Amino acid sequence: MLGKPRRVAVVSADSEGETTLNAFDRALLKAGIGNLNLVKVTSILPPDVQILRKLTEKIPEGSMVPVIMACITSDLKGEKIAAALAIARTKKGPGLVAEYTGRNIDKNKAVEEARYRVLNMANYRGLELSEPVFAVGVDHVVEKAGCALVAVVFID
């Protein structure tokens, strides 16, 4: 086991680039996590984890950092892309995170879908929420190549 996280931060960004890879890289940089090695993990948080609504400290460059991430790229000019995630704290279980990405929708629709998914996760586990669901979304209209990204970054 690698350890139990104490704090996580929620980040989001959208970006444009020459290619979808460049758009993704720029979105990571805008979100403050572009110079990190991101390790994708599944959508479970410890019940007592502190959730920061933004990344408030600099993580050393090159660090291997677990993330729960939703990301979408496109090179279709004029396409609207969106990414969202929703976090649910439960009374007698872990925190749950649901991610969502979509095409031809805005961030509000993406957030609605992420909320639906996290509530479904809690329901399936038989868990009651301890507070309202927190959700964040971002959208982007593609000019050449675009990216929409949201992530929960494990700080420590």
Side-chain angles (χ1 to χ4, degrees), residues 1 3 11 32 58 60 68 71 74 80 101 104 106-107 115 127-128 130 150 155:
M1 185 173 96
V11 299
K58 185 168 173 52
I68 301 168
C71 175
S74 173
K80 183 178 266 191
T101 61
N104 301 312
D106 64 15
K107 65 182 176 183
R115 283 180 188 273
L127 296 172
E128 189 177 338
S130 61
V150 293
I155 300 171

Side-chain angles (χ1 to χ4, degrees), residues 123-134:
N123 186 51
Y124 184 77
R125 288 171 169 79
L127 296 172
E128 189 177 338
L129 300 188
S130 61
E131 59 188 62
V133 171
F134 167 70

Side-chain angles (χ1 to χ4, degrees), residues 23 25 31 39 45 52 58 64 67 71 87 92-93 121 128-129 132 135 137 146 155:
D25 183 52
V39 180
L45 298 173
L52 306 173
K58 185 168 173 52
M64 294 192 65
V67 296
C71 175
I87 301 172
K92 294 184 179 179
M121 289 170 70
E128 189 177 338
L129 300 188
I155 300 171

Side-chain angles (χ1 to χ4, degrees), residues 39-45 66-70 85 97-99 150-154:
V39 180
K40 190 164 180 159
V41 297
T42 58
S43 307
I44 302 297
L45 298 173
V67 296
I68 301 168
M69 184 167 53
L85 60 80
V97 183
E99 311 89 37
V150 293
V152 173
V153 182
F154 290 57

Side-chain angles (χ1 to χ4, degrees), residues 74-140:
S74 173
D75 58 5
L76 183 60
K77 183 179 171 109
E79 183 174 44
K80 183 178 266 191
I81 53 177
L85 60 80
I87 301 172
R89 288 192 182 269
T90 63
K91 288 186 178 178
K92 294 184 179 179
L96 305 171
V97 183
E99 311 89 37
Y100 180 76
T101 61
R103 299 178 186 282
N104 301 312
I105 62 169
D106 64 15
K107 65 182 176 183
N108 296 326
K109 182 65 178 166
V111 162
E112 181 183 314
E113 182 62 29
R115 283 180 188 273
Y116 171 77
R117 289 174 178 214
V118 81
L119 292 172
N120 208 326
M121 289 170 70
N123 186 51
Y124 184 77
R125 288 171 169 79
L127 296 172
E128 189 177 338
L129 300 188
S130 61
E131 59 188 62
V133 171
F134 167 70
V136 63
V138 63
D139 55 33
H140 181 84

